[in-house]
Amino acid sequence: MSRPIHSAPLRRGTTAACAALLFVALASGTGIAADPTPSPSATTPSATGDTGLAGLDPRITEIMRKPDYRNAQWGLLQTDPDNGRVVHSLFPEQFFIPGSTAKLISVSGPWHTLGADHRFVTPLYAVGARDGATLTGDLDLVAQGDLTMGGRTRPDGTVAYTDLDHTYANDFPGATLTPENPLAGIDLLARQVRDSGITRVDGDVIVDSRLFLPDPELVPTPTPLIINDNLIDLLTTPGDRPGANARLDWRPKVAPYQVTSAVKTVAAGKPTAVTVTATDGGTRIRLTGTIAADSAPLLRTSPIDDPAGFGRVALIEALERAGVHVTADPSGPNPVGRLPRDYTGHPRVAAYTSPPYAQYAKLILKVSHNLGANLGICLLAVTAKSDQCPAGFPVLAGFLDQAGVDREQAQLMDGRGGNPADRATPQVLVQMLAYWQRTPDARLFREALPILGVDGLLAENCRSCPARGKVFAKTGAAVGGDALNDRLAVGAITIAGYLDKGGGRFDTFYAGVNGASTPGADPTEVLAITNDLAMIAAYLQESP
């Protein structure tokens, strides 16, 4: 069975089991029933115009006419970006819930503004008096909005990801970890301090997070310092026999976080159900429940509520491992009141340099990384010399105007496509995709998207069909509960990207459905809809 198309999760009580898909309110729309050919008045005339279902691969029209979609609204647009020719078009200027296809816009802004080769340099300053190997004063880590701080960086400088990211571990089974050390960047900074000749700090370690203010309207909320996506990973493995305690491993191990487990192993085939609770500001984590003897290791996460405080302790511990003693109490607060106005005249004793932004964009797009997408809005604000994340939206708007993208055909309140107000037309997403085809980064951007049957959130779809490896596309979803009918309300399932038509031609496309529903309340029933969208993309690629 194929993996669903994921988007950003919002945890909502009874629908938590389906939260790997984005939860937003349903949008109203014109229903498409047995014959979804649009009427002339259904949309305003445009350059893309409606072609209806005429000329579509019959396999696509068969999908659209399924009884499951009798109350739903379909949208479709396929163009040849070399000459602007419209191949297929259905409601191209109607607003649809975008889900994570909105990331095509929100990632494009930072990519263009910062540059594909931009690297985040996170410095560590010695603020105080130096006497030989002793610093009387503080070490100040100045956070720069680095998404991973080395926690996913491979030896070759690329950023590691898995097809189902650990940020979705609480929402969907099968999430896995990358093997890289989430404290790699912090450890590197500590070693550089030791290499600078400092072995003792009579003072404190402070994380300077003044780059921008966390905005609670962006969920998940970006912070200037991010370590391990601001999560504690909790990996439970069955014990040797039913009745035995389950095994637990967790990372990153940083005081004062303490993790305990009362999870028991049960017989093969029995339910696996693990609950995570956190107290004392998230620093006391306990796992309870059961795991079947034949279960694969089960990953869960717990949030880091104070990323700056966590980073401070992590750095103090890393310094001790590197041979640098810090006299300050690691369990104390992050003393931001001691920070200088700026760092003019203070020596930089260490710095961590990130991989290029294009690698971070690839991570965001491949796994639908919600924190990274929201972070992009805050980083755009910083380029406008603001510490207020909403100031990033005018920067994004300016880029879209420059790129020839009609931004009035998009409504965004975040970067991930998760706000209930977010909307986008098929046309605006296709315009965004077509823009990249005209740039030197065309191939880099295209290959940063999930590839059908190969990787990212399309890895398990269409693995043996002719279109495998020939569709490069971002996916999106908006799914909530329908308590009235004891089923799931599928606000949207969407997909947009490029079709490799051969000979160096890559058509831009969008396909999406709003207002569908599942037969029952089982979250796995959404799989049929997500697979339908993946197959529509495949049939578009295969069609002459």
Side-chain angles (χ1 to χ4, degrees):
M1 183 176 289
S2 62
R3 179 173 298 148
I5 297 173
H6 295 272
S7 184
L10 289 178
R11 295 161 183 82
R12 297 284 174 87
T14 58
T15 55
C18 196
L21 300 169
L22 172 65
F23 287 74
V24 296
L26 282 173
S28 61
T30 305
I32 288 184
D35 186 359
T37 303
S39 65
S41 60
T43 184
T44 56
S46 72
T48 48
D50 278 325
T51 62
L53 302 186
L56 273 176
D57 188 311
R59 295 174 295 182
I60 296 177
T61 57
E62 182 180 358
I63 289 173
M64 290 182 170
R65 288 171 172 153
K66 284 182 178 180
D68 295 348
Y69 302 121
R70 63 183 177 273
N71 301 122
Q73 170 69 68
W74 283 95
L76 184 71
L77 184 59
Q78 178 185 349
T79 68
D80 180 348
D82 292 337
N83 55 29
R85 181 177 66 90
V86 175
V87 182
H88 298 294
S89 178
L90 185 66
F91 295 107
E93 291 186 334
Q94 180 167 309
F95 273 133
F96 287 82
I97 299 172
S100 281
T101 54
K103 291 182 174 76
L104 292 170
I105 296 174
S106 63
V107 171
S108 293
W111 186 315
H112 169 82
T113 305
L114 299 175
D117 295 327
H118 175 81
R119 296 175 186 265
F120 300 89
V121 179
T122 302
L124 186 65
Y125 292 96
V127 180
R130 177 89 175 262
D131 183 10
T134 299
L135 171 67
T136 303
D138 302 327
L139 288 175
D140 293 357
L141 177 63
V142 186
Q144 297 295 309
D146 186 329
L147 180 57
T148 71
M149 277 298 293
R152 293 178 184 254
T153 305
R154 300 184 181 103
D156 64 359
T158 59
V159 171
Y161 61 89
T162 61
D163 291 332
L164 185 56
D165 193 63
H166 77 139
T167 54
Y168 286 104
N170 292 350
D171 306 308
F172 200 79
T176 55
L177 295 171
T178 61
E180 285 72 25
N181 174 14
L183 297 176
I186 296 295
D187 285 341
L188 178 61
L189 288 167
R191 292 194 297 270
Q192 289 180 9
V193 171
R194 179 64 182 83
D195 291 343
S196 76
I198 297 175
T199 60
R200 180 180 177 85
V201 178
D202 284 334
D204 217 319
V205 169
I206 312 173
V207 172
D208 184 341
S209 291
R210 294 178 290 186
L211 184 70
F212 59 80
L213 298 173
D215 186 344
E217 293 299 315
L218 299 175
V219 181
T221 303
T223 51
L225 182 68
I226 297 171
I227 297 175
N228 201 44
D229 300 312
N230 292 339
L231 296 172
I232 300 293
D233 294 319
L234 310 160
L235 191 65
T236 299
T237 304
D240 295 330
R241 63 188 185 284
N245 292 331
R247 302 182 184 92
L248 172 68
D249 194 14
W250 62 281
R251 70 176 202 182
K253 292 183 172 68
V254 173
Y257 281 74
Q258 296 180 9
V259 181
T260 58
S261 174
V263 177
K264 293 291 186 180
T265 306
V266 294
K270 293 290 185 179
T272 292
V274 174
T275 300
V276 178
T277 56
T279 57
D280 295 341
T283 62
R284 299 294 182 271
I285 302 170
R286 182 169 176 79
L287 286 75
T288 56
T290 60
I291 185 168
D294 58 347
S295 172
L298 180 70
L299 182 63
R300 291 287 185 265
T301 62
S302 187
I304 295 171
D305 293 336
D306 179 11
F310 180 88
R312 173 185 175 272
V313 178
L315 182 53
I316 291 174
E317 293 180 349
L319 287 165
E320 294 288 350
R321 291 194 297 270
V324 180
H325 176 65
V326 180
T327 60
D329 180 5
S331 63
N334 186 40
V336 294
R338 296 165 60 107
L339 292 172
R341 182 173 182 176
D342 59 49
Y343 293 94
T344 302
H346 299 294
R348 191 175 83 172
V349 294
Y352 176 76
T353 301
S354 77
Y357 179 76
Q359 281 293 311
Y360 284 172
K362 185 176 183 178
L363 166 67
I364 296 167
L365 294 170
K366 290 286 189 186
V367 309
S368 208
H369 196 284
N370 297 313
L371 180 62
N374 280 343
L375 175 64
I377 302 299
C378 300
L379 295 175
L380 289 177
V382 172
T383 67
K385 303 187 184 306
S386 174
D387 63 358
Q388 305 289 323
C389 291
F393 286 105
V395 181
L396 180 59
F399 156 67
L400 294 175
D401 291 344
Q402 179 183 344
V405 175
D406 183 1
R407 58 183 167 90
E408 291 189 357
Q409 294 196 45
Q411 298 174 173
L412 292 179
M413 284 294 293
D414 61 10
R416 69 185 178 109
N419 189 285
D422 290 349
R423 296 292 186 274
T425 69
Q427 183 168 283
V428 76
L429 294 175
V430 166
Q431 287 176 350
M432 189 75 266
L433 292 159
Y435 160 79
W436 285 109
Q437 293 289 77
R438 304 188 297 269
T439 72
D441 288 337
R443 179 176 178 179
L444 193 61
F445 184 84
R446 182 174 65 247
E447 294 181 352
L449 300 173
I451 303 174
L452 186 67
V454 176
D455 66 9
L457 291 178
L458 287 174
E460 299 301 322
N461 296 92
C462 208
R463 292 183 64 87
S464 60
C465 66
R468 180 179 187 269
K470 299 177 182 178
V471 176
F472 305 78
K474 184 71 197 77
T475 57
V479 181
D482 176 8
L484 179 66
N485 298 292
D486 190 28
R487 61 185 181 181
L488 295 177
V490 183
I493 301 293
T494 56
I495 184 169
Y498 302 99
L499 308 168
D500 184 352
K501 303 296 284 186
R505 171 182 159 185
F506 292 90
D507 281 11
T508 50
F509 84 98
Y510 166 95
V513 61
N514 274 193
S517 56
T518 60
D522 185 348
T524 61
E525 292 175 355
V526 180
L527 290 167
I529 303 176
T530 61
N531 194 60
D532 279 348
L533 268 294
M535 293 312 301
I536 286 175
Y539 297 150
L540 289 173
Q541 188 282 324
E542 294 172 15
S543 300

